[in-house]
Amino acid sequence: MIHDAQMDYYGTRLATCSSDRSVKIFDIKNGSQILAADLRGHEGPVWQVAWAHPMFGNVLASCSYDRKVIIWKEEGGTWDRLYEYDGHDSSVNSVSWASHEFGLLLACGSSDGSISVLSCLGDGTWEPHKISNAHTIGCNAVSWAPAVIPGTLMDAPSGPKSTPVKRFVSGGCDNLIKIWREEDGQWAEEKKMEAHSDWVRDVAWAPSIGLPSGTIASCSQDGRVFIWTCDDPAGGSWTPKLLHKFGDVVWHVSWSITGNILAVSGGDNKVSLWKESTDGQWKCVSDVNKGQGISSGPDETRPEQ
Amino acid sequence: MHSKGSMIFSWWIDFDVHRHAKLLCFPIVSGRSPAFIFSYFFFIYLYFSLQMLSNSSVIFPGVLESMSVDLQNFSFLRHLEDMAARVVQTFSGWRTMSCELDGAASAVAVSRDGSQVVVAGRNILKVFAIEEEAFVEKVNLRVGRRTSVNYSCSDVAWHQLDDNLLATAATNGAVVTWNLSRSSRNKQELLFAEHKRTVNKVCFHQAELHTLLSGSQDGSMKCFDLRRKDSVCTFNGQSESVRDVQFSPRDYFAFAASFENGNVQLWDLRRSDRCERMFTAHNGPVFSCDWHPEDRGWLATGGRDKMVKVWDMASARPRELFCVQTIASVARVKWRPERRYHLATCSMMVDHTINVWDVRRPFIPFAAFEEHRDVTTGIAWRLPHDPHLLLSGAKDCTLFQHIFKDAKRPADRANPEALCFGPRGDVAFAAKEGLSANDPARRALPGDRRNPFFFIRKAPEPYDASLTQQHSGSVCSVLNVFQRCDAKEKLNPLENESESFVELAQRYCLAGRPFAELCDHNARIAMELCRHQVAQTWLILKLLYAGGDASPSPALLPNGGIFCGKDGSSGLGGDGMSERGKSEGHGDGGLEEPNEETEGSDVENLTASVGLYAAAAGLYSGNGEEERLELLDQDTTTSDFPEFSLPPEAFALRHEIVDGPAGLEHLQTNGPDGPGSGDEDGTDEGMRSACQGKVGGSTAGLGITAAESVSLISVSQPLFGQTLPPEVFAPAVIAMLEFYAERGDVQSTVSTLIVLGEKASGGVDTLVQEHWYLSYLELLQRFRLWDVATQVIRLSTCAAISALNHDSTSLNLNCSSCRRALGAKGWLCDRCRRCASVCAVCHHAVKGLFVWCQGCSHGGHLKHMHDWLSASPHCPTGCGHLCEYT
């Protein structure tokens, strides 16, 4: 069972991870895909993978039920373990790389309720920072804020350029969404947001491409998807807006790179794409059904354009 | 069906023994189908009648399961099972509980009736009674002042026929039996000191009161008759140390033994000379084995290789049925009672949890008990027919009773779907495949390589179902990559967003030509890609700034010069231009792009512009002579006022422009798609021509909103004059930039920003600009448009952005002949007085791109080197170096 699939920065590679402990990397070229690598090293189902920014080379992080986070790096066509983190007491459910401005910085959310932030120091060693008891019962998802916080952007006077604040959002089994920010090297809870009535399954901070406000999408076991927006420069007030209530668990939310389209996948094996219309309402613009049970000719015979 | 349900229900109300049940039915029944309600009540009915019959709350789950074959596959049955578990636990009052021990436990064993548990360890040997709320210590078997090493236990067994009979295995090789019924404090009964090394395991025969089996580190197994003082017979495995021995419940005389070298042996009690059967089960030690409690001949083994395997011992050759992969070496394996496919494991190190696996799902445990803080050493199901209660002892000196209700369900956390938005707008989506997994025959064949199967789909087109069937099963996923629809299906402007992004990025002209021409060019490209709104923006920008920039004087000729920067003949007389405009219009008539007119409008006098409209109208697949004439009339009238005065509503109009693009786009998008005639088309054309009129007349018109355009058709509206300073437009333009940015179209923002250059940059905060630039650059880099990115950096008016191109760009050069570092000159070596950058092929100094081999430092013109090295691998200088040209 595939638990996660991630395309790399350029969209030329796809990493998948599966229950069978493997992480597979496919090259996508002209609509065909070739298995490029099969990374073995985890001893349990691998829940999530994440590509780092290509300025660090081909670096992939994966997290697993075996409580480990493995950071892989491709060198000369072969993938090797760059670092292995085993500081969690339970399954690690989510990994996410921070914006490249911060260097190699990885957040990992675990079922033991804690979140670790691993940062790569210059000499190739890794320094973990652990946030204990971030979410009781467990943390299901983490997602970094873009390096530029829109709040500071619009209102900042043309004074000296301040270094961007490191922030990330996490969602857990306590039905909460929390925003964390780094202050003096310590991670502190900045905001606790409550709207879901069941486990939060995924959170995604929208890329801030020209957007004036911070935006977070969250989805939950209760079938609801919320869009959280923050217009407050200090990042203090977030307002939720219900995107839609689905009939089943919503597993994933994912933003397009420009941050204006949201893909939502639910327990009914459907993907839907959502876009905000000019009046601020979210509309479903596309519905991709897996087409269960419908048969048609193989892919190769599809009519060309 | 309803009547039956209500009948049962009324029966139910009368049946007030279990009052809780009422609470149970309502939430479940509401909103379900009649079929469900019926089955639900049917099961409840069965359950309670069975319960009444057996007078035991324990028996029913097993009955339930045997009836439903496999509960896991039916969600509502599973629900029912969970609920039933809750019922049992509610009524019984069982709960997760623990007690502290004096020392680390190494094994636990339960009495037959499940009322007592014995915990054995190096420093502990105690019997606890299991009460409802807590464990109560009953007997401490380690008595006396001197504690013998005989009591340092590695294993303990409780006889399943005699509640007073216990056996322990000691680390010094002793096997001790205990009789709890003895009245004295010392309850030790027999001591067999026959093994030379640690006894790892003791096991009572299930049906024989006096038969005890032991397995030791010394490699031998001994069978004791408790009526005798020494062993009856010794089985020598001829292998390494014995880790586990287990009597078979299937065969009276058979027992299995597992060894440190990975072997499992099957013995017959009556034959001590050699084993019946031997096979290698694991890589490395097999720490534990367990027979399936039902009569199936299934043996589960767990080893240091982190695997649990289930073997079919009934067949001629032991056959591996299932293989479960755990995250740590497996110390103990115990089948779960009443659940055919479930077994519990605990690990030797790393992992402190007790996992319960469904052997058909080999990767994710079915349930996990995470209470222990150190390695769990002993596990035992409390009752042979109750799957809900598990007892465990651990090195953290605690004894736990676990309740299934409180177990973690890791599988529930597992994400069965994957979703990813690729940079090119494609969506990768993997989902669990097939609900046909209900069929047990299809599930989890051992050794099945569950490769995700993979294909790509361009349009929302159903996948090939025949392919998926081969892979169906609960543990298989299908991964689809959905790409956006092709550009030709312009049903939705979203669909080809990424393609058009790349196209626009590559084809936009951002500098190097006069402003108006840049606008025209970009507008045309945007139009070609059906980005009407963006195209219109470019045109407006051109109107605003090109006109304003031109000259405050109403003279037309110099203006025209600006507009027609690309052809020098633009300064010619009006008639000539008119001709040109017409011919161009007709020449391009084949193209259906309406913005061809825009290009055609590079004319500077009235006649020309009028001529052009004729051409333009021709392009519009003629709606009729009348309309065309009408348009001509309007245009003429419009053009009759080359000098306009600033109307009073100027400020109101400025604001309209901000909102204009949305409304305008709506009208404009309809235009090119609908070639038919009609009022709307007429309006559209009118609008267009009105715009053209302003362009042609080089009047800096602002009337771009739809309302304004329409009004232009009917009444010749006075427009803004060129006398207006460009600052007036600044707020509108900035609002436009922000509008695009807000919509995530940072490309338009940055491109216009660059083209506008100084004209607009003043009004926007530098940090905001920087952010826009950085966002756009990031996007460009994602699409690998390095050259465009570099160009954007170069053209940016932001100091911080321009500086990006200066980052890490210094090159230190050494002379290729004497290897001395070149100074600031960079091309002439101080020492050998030679030009450092001479082409090795043509021996001329290289100006421009110089490529050199980093191995031998010889190089030359890019093309020369390329040609040379594609023919020969050697350096063209003859230095013998094998240069690599990639």
Side-chain angles (χ1 to χ4, degrees):
Chain A
M1 187 193 288
I2 297 175
H3 295 296
D4 195 24
Q6 288 294 324
M7 283 192 232
D8 74 345
Y9 189 78
Y10 300 120
T12 53
R13 287 172 153 205
L14 184 71
T16 63
C17 59
S18 154
S19 287
D20 66 0
R21 307 163 160 211
S22 67
V23 175
K24 291 196 167 86
I25 294 165
F26 297 91
D27 279 330
I28 304 180
K29 270 179 197 143
N30 306 324
S32 66
Q33 44 314 116
I34 306 136
L35 180 66
D38 187 354
L39 314 183
R40 296 276 170 170
H42 280 296
E43 285 157 350
V46 189
W47 297 136
Q48 211 169 62
V49 285
W51 290 94
H53 193 274
M55 72 185 276
F56 307 107
N58 286 326
V59 176
L60 187 74
S62 59
C63 62
S64 160
Y65 184 71
D66 67 2
R67 298 139 192 226
K68 283 184 198 150
V69 174
I70 299 183
I71 296 166
W72 312 81
K73 189 173 167 72
E74 184 188 31
E75 258 167 309
T78 57
W79 287 86
D80 285 311
R81 255 179 259 203
L82 191 65
Y83 178 66
E84 193 173 302
Y85 176 68
D86 52 5
H88 281 291
D89 301 327
S90 187
S91 158
V92 187
N93 297 321
S94 181
V95 282
S96 172
W97 289 102
S99 176
H100 65 91
E101 282 90 343
F102 302 129
L104 278 174
L105 189 62
L106 184 76
C108 324
S110 162
S111 283
D112 63 6
S114 63
I115 298 173
S116 332
V117 180
L118 311 176
S119 53
C120 181
L121 306 177
D123 54 354
T125 56
W126 292 76
E127 187 188 26
H129 274 283
K130 200 160 174 183
I131 311 170
S132 302
N133 289 321
H135 288 278
T136 44
I137 330 178
C139 171
N140 287 333
V142 284
S143 175
W144 285 87
V148 183
I149 287 297
T152 60
L153 180 82
M154 283 305 179
D155 298 85
S158 45
K161 200 182 168 192
S162 57
T163 49
V165 189
K166 294 175 189 167
R167 275 198 179 93
F168 68 86
V169 61
S170 65
C173 299
D174 51 3
N175 311 347
L176 294 176
I177 295 160
K178 290 182 179 179
I179 295 176
W180 306 84
R181 74 178 277 168
E182 191 187 48
E183 274 161 12
D184 313 322
Q186 293 299 313
W187 286 93
E189 184 183 317
E190 187 180 59
K191 189 80 190 145
K192 188 192 282 182
M193 308 194 294
E194 205 173 339
H196 289 292
S197 58
D198 208 337
W199 290 9
V200 178
R201 275 301 179 173
D202 199 7
V203 286
W205 202 310
S208 144
I209 300 258
L211 289 175
S213 56
T215 308
I216 295 172
S218 68
C219 65
S220 153
Q221 195 97 4
D222 62 10
R224 292 188 289 177
V225 176
F226 278 102
I227 306 288
W228 304 80
T229 46
C230 168
D231 298 316
D232 181 10
S237 69
W238 288 81
T239 42
K241 179 171 197 136
L242 182 67
L243 179 94
H244 188 63
K245 180 156 188 343
F246 294 85
D248 207 341
V249 186
V250 183
W251 295 106
H252 277 298
V253 282
S254 177
W255 290 100
S256 70
I257 42 161
T258 48
N260 51 7
I261 306 175
L262 180 73
V264 178
S265 82
D268 46 3
N269 278 353
K270 262 188 182 175
V271 185
S272 51
L273 303 181
W274 299 77
K275 193 177 188 347
E276 191 178 18
S277 60
T278 38
D279 57 345
Q281 294 299 314
W282 287 86
K283 297 254 161 58
C284 181
V285 293
S286 171
D287 214 339
V288 189
N289 198 335
K290 210 159 67 65
Q292 196 130 28
I294 304 167
S295 174
S296 84
D299 193 43
E300 288 75 27
T301 61
R302 69 166 188 275
E304 275 303 315
Q305 271 111 49
Chain B
M1 208 167 269
H2 274 293
S3 62
K4 189 143 196 176
S6 54
M7 185 198 78
I8 294 171
F9 194 64
S10 56
W11 163 82
W12 176 261
I13 298 285
D14 299 332
F15 188 76
D16 62 349
V17 178
H18 304 285
R19 286 187 305 276
H20 292 277
K22 248 191 276 183
L23 297 172
L24 289 168
C25 21
F26 288 118
I28 288 166
V29 168
S30 62
R32 304 293 182 141
S33 67
F36 174 86
I37 295 169
F38 174 73
S39 350
Y40 174 77
F41 277 110
F42 177 68
F43 274 96
I44 294 285
Y45 169 77
L46 270 176
Y47 157 41
F48 281 103
S49 31
L50 282 169
Q51 197 176 28
M52 285 176 76
L53 285 174
S54 65
N55 209 9
S56 150
S57 63
V58 175
I59 197 162
F60 89 95
V63 177
L64 253 190
E65 181 169 27
S66 57
M67 286 191 304
S68 65
V69 183
D70 188 357
L71 277 178
Q72 306 306 321
N73 292 331
F74 302 96
S75 60
F76 86 88
L77 283 178
R78 173 160 173 208
H79 187 89
L80 193 69
E81 187 212 356
D82 282 356
M83 194 198 63
R86 231 172 297 138
V87 174
V88 171
Q89 281 149 22
T90 313
F91 293 146
S92 69
W94 295 334
R95 59 190 192 90
T96 298
M97 57 185 185
S98 68
C99 84
E100 294 290 317
L101 303 174
D102 304 338
S106 54
V108 292
V110 200
S111 67
R112 179 183 50 173
D113 59 357
S115 62
Q116 295 178 76
V117 59
V118 58
V119 181
R122 277 178 186 266
N123 302 309
I124 181 171
L125 186 56
K126 278 184 179 173
V127 176
F128 291 89
I130 309 169
E131 313 258 307
E132 246 180 42
E133 298 287 309
F135 294 102
V136 177
E137 184 179 328
K138 274 190 84 180
V139 190
N140 185 0
L141 297 172
R142 288 170 67 94
V143 287
R145 208 166 292 130
R146 49 168 197 91
T147 48
S148 160
V149 270
N150 293 340
Y151 304 155
S152 173
C153 303
S154 56
D155 191 34
V156 65
W158 202 313
H159 204 293
Q160 290 305 302
L161 296 176
D162 185 348
D163 273 347
N164 291 319
L165 188 54
L166 290 174
T168 57
T171 47
N172 66 347
V175 173
V176 184
T177 61
W178 309 80
N179 189 349
L180 295 179
S181 60
R182 277 167 83 116
S183 51
S184 71
R185 276 183 69 218
N186 189 352
K187 313 231 181 250
Q188 180 183 332
E189 189 139 287
L190 295 167
L191 173 72
F192 304 102
E194 293 188 25
H195 284 295
K196 295 180 196 71
R197 297 177 64 192
T198 301
V199 180
N200 286 317
K201 194 76 189 176
V202 283
C203 179
F204 280 112
H205 196 282
Q206 265 116 332
E208 197 58 60
L209 191 58
H210 303 290
T211 310
L212 175 70
L213 189 66
S214 68
S216 160
Q217 201 72 19
D218 63 14
S220 65
M221 295 146 281
K222 285 177 190 290
C223 182
F224 304 97
D225 188 323
L226 300 185
R227 292 163 293 198
R228 292 169 57 169
K229 292 275 181 253
D230 51 359
S231 62
V232 183
C233 61
T234 302
F235 307 92
N236 201 328
Q238 311 287 347
S239 277
E240 275 180 61
S241 313
V242 185
R243 294 309 299 233
D244 201 353
V245 283
Q246 291 285 340
F247 276 111
S248 164
R250 177 190 169 88
D251 191 342
Y252 188 86
F253 293 108
F255 70 89
S258 73
F259 292 86
E260 213 146 77
N261 60 359
N263 283 348
V264 169
Q265 294 180 354
L266 199 62
W267 288 82
D268 190 307
L269 267 183
R270 298 160 294 188
R271 264 189 93 154
S272 60
D273 55 336
R274 63 180 185 85
C275 62
E276 295 273 287
R277 194 186 281 176
M278 184 170 90
F279 62 96
T280 304
H282 290 267
N283 290 321
V286 186
F287 291 130
S288 181
C289 63
D290 194 32
W291 291 96
H292 198 284
E294 290 171 49
D295 210 14
R296 292 176 192 279
W298 283 11
L299 182 73
T301 57
R304 198 178 61 187
D305 58 0
K306 304 177 184 177
M307 283 195 256
V308 177
K309 291 180 179 174
V310 180
W311 305 89
D312 181 8
M313 304 297 283
S315 60
R317 247 185 92 79
R319 193 161 58 90
E320 188 187 311
L321 295 173
F322 300 102
C323 179
V324 171
Q325 305 191 314
T326 72
I327 67 168
S329 55
V330 183
R332 310 255 176 193
V333 179
K334 278 270 180 268
W335 286 100
R336 188 177 173 202
E338 307 293 339
R339 292 291 181 275
R340 186 178 165 192
Y341 294 105
H342 286 192
L343 49 80
T345 65
C346 65
S347 80
M348 202 134 231
M349 52 191 78
V350 184
D351 190 4
H352 308 159
T353 55
I354 303 161
N355 292 316
V356 179
W357 301 84
D358 185 318
V359 290
R360 297 162 300 179
R361 181 165 59 201
F363 302 111
I364 312 172
F366 173 77
F369 299 102
E370 294 177 342
E371 280 85 1
H372 283 298
R373 299 270 68 90
D374 202 345
V375 173
T376 310
T377 46
I379 48 176
W381 295 96
R382 185 171 153 189
L383 290 158
H385 292 292
D386 184 1
H388 300 292
L389 294 175
L390 181 70
L391 297 163
S392 69
K395 277 192 184 162
D396 61 359
C397 305
T398 51
L399 172 69
F400 259 95
Q401 171 176 274
H402 307 278
I403 300 261
F404 231 77
K405 181 185 65 169
D406 299 339
K408 293 266 174 70
R409 299 294 182 92
D412 287 351
R413 281 170 188 266
N415 236 329
E417 289 179 359
L419 176 70
C420 174
F421 226 125
R424 287 176 192 275
D426 27 13
V427 176
F429 175 58
K432 198 157 71 173
E433 177 46 35
L435 300 166
S436 56
N438 292 339
D439 183 2
R442 262 195 196 152
R443 297 177 75 163
L445 298 167
D448 185 9
R449 292 281 158 265
R450 287 169 196 86
N451 283 326
F453 104 98
F454 200 98
F455 60 92
I456 198 153
R457 284 204 281 158
K458 279 209 160 171
E461 195 178 301
Y463 60 90
D464 182 13
S466 64
L467 278 173
T468 61
Q469 279 170 6
Q470 302 163 12
H471 297 263
S472 64
S474 64
V475 286
C476 187
S477 294
V478 174
L479 181 58
N480 295 320
V481 178
F482 300 97
Q483 283 185 346
R484 289 312 183 74
C485 293
D486 300 297
K488 285 205 175 167
E489 303 170 36
K490 286 171 189 122
L491 300 170
N492 191 331
L494 285 174
E495 303 288 3
N496 52 359
E497 194 175 31
S498 56
E499 283 88 351
S500 71
F501 178 88
V502 175
E503 282 281 316
L504 287 176
Q506 284 173 337
R507 292 174 62 187
Y508 265 164
C509 198
L510 300 178
R513 293 202 227 165
F515 175 77
E517 205 177 308
L518 290 178
C519 289
D520 278 343
H521 176 85
N522 294 341
R524 193 175 62 242
I525 287 166
M527 194 62 93
E528 279 174 25
L529 292 161
C530 289
R531 305 285 290 261
H532 307 291
Q533 187 179 354
V534 180
Q536 213 57 45
T537 308
W538 285 111
L539 290 178
I540 295 166
L541 283 176
K542 176 182 160 181
L543 289 175
L544 293 180
Y545 286 102
D549 268 1
S551 162
S553 87
L556 297 169
L557 212 61
N559 263 348
I562 287 177
F563 275 105
C564 306
K566 74 177 171 193
D567 59 343
S569 66
S570 60
L572 292 173
D575 284 339
M577 282 316 291
S578 171
E579 280 306 306
R580 196 183 64 87
K582 272 182 188 163
S583 61
E584 201 172 299
H586 289 303
D588 293 330
L591 300 170
E592 282 174 9
E593 297 299 331
N595 52 313
E596 282 300 327
E597 307 150 61
T598 318
E599 197 182 30
S601 70
D602 289 348
V603 276
E604 81 277 29
N605 65 21
L606 298 178
T607 336
S609 74
V610 171
L612 187 70
Y613 294 131
L619 280 175
Y620 269 111
S621 68
N623 284 330
E625 200 63 35
E626 272 181 28
E627 271 184 66
R628 198 185 296 175
L629 285 172
E630 193 181 287
L631 283 170
L632 278 170
D633 280 339
Q634 285 156 10
D635 289 324
T636 325
T637 47
T638 310
S639 325
D640 277 342
F641 301 93
E643 282 180 277
F644 303 112
S645 56
L646 188 65
E649 66 265 35
F651 294 98
L653 283 171
R654 254 199 348 249
H655 290 292
E656 271 183 32
I657 266 197
V658 182
D659 301 320
L664 195 62
E665 187 189 47
H666 175 68
L667 285 171
Q668 294 284 343
T669 40
N670 288 336
D673 292 338
S677 57
D679 287 344
E680 200 178 312
D681 270 8
T683 320
D684 203 25
E685 279 174 45
M687 276 169 54
R688 269 171 213 281
S689 345
C691 298
Q692 301 300 335
K694 278 167 282 163
V695 176
S698 56
T699 51
L702 249 185
I704 306 305
T705 63
E708 176 82 349
S709 310
V710 171
S711 75
L712 266 173
I713 296 171
S714 51
V715 188
S716 58
Q717 180 94 2
L719 293 174
F720 300 109
Q722 299 107 315
T723 45
L724 205 58
E727 288 75 39
V728 178
F729 312 122
V733 171
I734 289 166
M736 179 273 293
L737 293 175
E738 283 171 0
F739 169 77
Y740 279 121
E742 206 170 310
R743 292 195 359 156
D745 188 0
V746 79
Q747 179 174 42
S748 304
T749 308
V750 172
S751 305
T752 46
L753 202 56
I754 291 172
V755 172
L756 288 172
E758 292 301 323
K759 295 185 197 77
S761 55
V764 189
D765 186 85
T766 20
L767 275 178
V768 178
Q769 280 194 36
E770 230 170 79
H771 174 59
W772 287 343
Y773 274 117
L774 285 174
S775 305
Y776 186 45
L777 287 175
E778 164 129 18
L779 282 180
L780 287 173
Q781 280 161 7
R782 283 201 103 145
F783 287 102
R784 305 193 176 194
L785 299 165
W786 315 113
D787 44 348
V788 183
T790 316
Q791 195 195 15
V792 168
I793 292 173
R794 194 158 49 82
L795 293 173
S796 86
T797 47
C798 260
I801 301 298
S802 317
L804 285 179
N805 260 8
H806 302 296
D807 284 352
S808 59
T809 49
S810 2
L811 275 176
N812 292 317
L813 297 174
N814 288 13
C815 175
S816 62
S817 44
C818 66
R819 308 201 173 256
R820 190 189 150 114
L822 293 175
K825 275 180 227 150
W827 55 274
L828 187 67
C829 178
D830 285 341
R831 196 164 74 185
C832 59
R833 297 276 162 201
R834 282 172 62 175
C835 181
S837 52
V838 173
C839 177
V841 180
C842 68
H843 298 288
H844 288 293
V846 182
K847 289 171 189 161
L849 284 179
F850 180 75
V851 60
W852 73 95
C853 168
Q854 297 200 336
C856 65
S857 74
H858 294 122
H861 292 103
L862 176 62
K863 186 173 183 316
H864 290 161
M865 294 303 283
H866 175 77
D867 292 346
W868 180 275
L869 289 170
S870 56
S872 152
H874 293 278
C875 178
T877 54
C879 69
H881 184 257
L882 285 169
C883 301
E884 272 184 45
Y885 183 87
T886 47

